[in-house]
Amino acid sequence: MSTPRVPPTRAYLEHVAIRVRDIHWHIRFFREVLGMELREIDGPPEAPRQYWTLGGLQFVATPDFAAPPSHDAGWLAHLGVMVDDLEAALQAAQAWGVQPLPPGRNWLQLPDGLAVELIQAAPGSVAQALAVRPRG
């Protein structure tokens, strides 16, 4: 048995970039349903090319993008999103016309085909994670 190699550094995923047809819909949904506020924007607010949220999402405006319409197709299976209040998030999401998915009522399919799994976080853990300011 070999000795475990000590890695030269440690890392974590700071964000994931997602191509979306309607960037404004995604900005509004993630802000109004899940409270993910603006961290950075590329381009003018009325026509952003890219939009980053506090919480690790980057939306890339791609108006002609067509994702497979299934939660288990394509290279990005789903996003797992920790929430302070799962019931409140699910109730808020209903008004957005998102579709439920077979794994459970906390799985939602967005209009561009992206699947989101909402997960109840331990008390205080979302605030703790959002308090991290990786870029200053």
Side-chain angles (χ1 to χ4, degrees), residues 116-130:
V116 177
E117 176 189 11
L118 300 179
I119 305 163
Q120 178 63 57
S125 62
V126 172
Q128 219 174 11
L130 291 174

Side-chain angles (χ1 to χ4, degrees), residues 4-120:
R5 183 179 158 273
V6 177
T9 189
R10 297 183 67 202
Y12 73 95
L13 180 66
E14 190 267 335
H15 73 273
V16 61
I18 304 164
R19 289 182 179 88
V20 296
R21 284 190 309 255
D22 185 344
I23 195 168
H24 289 290
W25 188 94
H26 286 80
I27 290 167
R28 288 189 314 271
F29 178 83
F30 281 89
R31 182 183 61 230
E32 295 175 23
V33 173
L34 301 173
M36 291 183 158
E37 296 295 331
L38 169 68
R39 179 178 63 99
E40 185 178 343
I41 192 168
D42 172 27
E46 64 277 1
R49 290 179 291 277
Q50 298 181 84
Y51 184 99
W52 291 261
T53 71
L54 290 173
L57 296 178
Q58 173 186 354
F59 302 121
V60 180
T62 313
D64 59 349
F65 180 69
S70 171
H71 77 282
D72 59 359
W75 53 269
L76 180 63
H78 72 277
L79 296 176
V81 178
M82 302 301 288
V83 297
D84 277 334
D85 186 335
L86 178 60
E87 295 306 318
L90 290 172
Q91 186 173 3
Q94 287 178 356
W96 289 80
V98 297
Q99 299 299 312
L101 290 168
R105 67 187 196 90
N106 61 314
W107 286 75
L108 308 173
Q109 186 164 16
L110 306 189
D112 284 358
L114 180 64
V116 177
E117 176 189 11
L118 300 179
I119 305 163
Q120 178 63 57

